[in-house]
Amino acid sequence: MLGLVIGDVVGSVYERHNIKTKDFPFFQERMRYTDDTYLSCATAEWLLHGGDLAKLYRSYVIADPNRGFGGTFIRWAFNSPEDNLNPYGSFGNGSAMRVGPVAWAFETKEEVLAVAAQTAECTHNHPEGIKGAQAIALATFMARKGATKEEIRTAMTEEFGYDLSLSVDEIRPRYSWSGMDGKGIGVSCMDSVPQAIVCALEASDFEDAIRNAVSIGGDSDTIACMAGSIAEALYGIPSAMYDRAISYLDDKMRAIVEAFECKYGKNVIEKKV
């Protein structure tokens, strides 16, 4: 699951300072993991140990509220009674950025879709919030199982209605925090999940997918996190990049990633010279 972590970490410095180029330093000292990695680790912990997922997400927020969460999610965590954590109808991409581990933990499409919905609907129970989580999980699962890029693209269109017809080069000049052509909401599932999928499918390798995602702008860390989840399953992660990326995690997050990958496997490749 480190692919999503790498996307989050690399994109973290460009979230508020968008760039429109793929030519940038890949790892920098000032990078850090954000709420995307943090809640993905919560999902991984839940898959490993079970329990009440809504309460687990809430406990993560309370433990580290400055990790970059959205305001509505913060209010849900701090203002909801612990015994009545109701979802709040969000269609934000928070549901899609934290779902990646689900694709590695199950062996059938039906299980992946059902559990992806479960991870979303405890907070993001809007149909678009659930759909976004299911799309990232299914795309990652299909790539993991050896589906072709065209098969993944077709599934995203037929099952979720996403338009993936534009290339990264066509998206880049038109995309921003306000979605395509300023007519959307860049932090919503419907205005960031399709773009993240294109960034992964159009890439030549894992690093290229992350560079694609950062280069289109908008919610850079989350788009790169979602693209990184799919790209890891498509291309694998070079071993040197894996080692560098895991150094950005603190002891708790690293232990969760390592325990998850010990149980479900990790997709690391030796970097070709």
Side-chain angles (χ1 to χ4, degrees):
M1 60 173 280
L2 199 72
L4 64 88
V5 176
I6 295 171
D8 177 36
V9 168
V10 173
S12 64
V13 296
Y14 300 110
E15 180 184 20
R16 298 297 175 186
H17 304 282
N18 284 172
I19 55 174
K20 293 286 186 173
T21 176
K22 294 169 66 172
D23 184 14
F24 57 85
F26 199 74
F27 285 120
Q28 302 177 50
E29 291 303 318
R30 61 197 180 100
M31 291 173 172
R32 67 167 196 151
Y33 74 84
T34 77
D35 56 325
D36 301 29
T37 291
Y38 195 53
L39 291 185
S40 294
C41 284
T43 302
E45 181 179 342
W46 175 70
L47 291 168
L48 287 168
H49 304 298
D52 186 314
L53 184 55
K55 288 183 178 180
L56 185 61
Y57 285 147
R58 178 179 183 269
S59 72
Y60 268 61
V61 179
I62 291 173
D64 191 355
N66 297 315
R67 193 49 66 177
F69 303 104
T72 305
F73 191 72
I74 285 276
R75 288 190 291 274
W76 169 83
F78 279 90
N79 298 336
S80 301
E82 187 174 1
D83 59 351
N84 191 26
L85 290 172
N86 292 320
Y88 53 94
S90 177
F91 50 75
N93 57 20
S95 62
M97 58 80 159
R98 70 191 187 205
V99 76
V102 172
W104 299 91
F106 299 94
E107 295 302 319
T108 69
K109 171 184 173 182
E110 291 74 22
E111 288 174 305
V112 168
L113 290 175
V115 178
Q118 190 177 354
T119 67
E121 61 196 7
C122 60
T123 54
H124 294 54
N125 60 329
H126 188 284
E128 291 291 343
I130 295 170
K131 184 169 78 171
Q134 288 181 315
I136 294 298
L138 181 59
T140 304
F141 174 77
M142 290 180 69
R144 174 189 156 219
K145 289 295 187 179
T148 66
K149 293 181 180 182
E150 193 54 42
E151 288 170 338
I152 296 170
R153 186 183 295 272
T154 298
M156 297 299 103
T157 300
E158 292 182 351
E159 302 210 22
F160 304 109
Y162 288 148
D163 180 2
L164 306 184
S165 61
L166 296 179
S167 68
V168 172
D169 286 343
E170 290 171 319
I171 293 169
R172 189 178 296 114
R174 297 173 55 187
Y175 189 75
S176 71
W177 276 93
S178 298
M180 292 294 294
D181 302 320
K183 298 178 181 179
I185 305 171
V187 295
S188 69
C189 279
M190 49 277 204
D191 288 316
S192 62
V193 170
Q195 288 78 15
I197 295 169
V198 170
C199 287
L201 295 182
E202 193 176 306
S204 58
D205 56 23
F206 178 82
E207 181 176 333
D208 193 47
I210 304 303
R211 291 187 179 279
N212 280 341
V214 171
S215 77
I216 67 171
D219 191 4
S220 297
D221 60 332
T222 301
I223 294 171
C225 173
M226 295 185 291
S229 179
I230 301 167
E232 176 182 6
L234 278 172
Y235 311 109
I237 302 171
S239 57
M241 185 182 294
Y242 183 99
D243 293 341
R244 177 70 184 276
I246 207 164
S247 71
Y248 285 88
L249 300 179
D250 57 35
D251 290 344
K252 179 182 177 180
M253 298 300 105
R254 185 180 305 167
I256 292 171
V257 169
E258 290 176 345
F260 186 84
E261 294 190 335
C262 181
K263 182 171 183 177
Y264 297 111
K266 63 183 180 181
N267 198 5
V268 178
I269 59 173
E270 291 300 323
K271 187 173 180 63
K272 296 180 179 178
V273 178

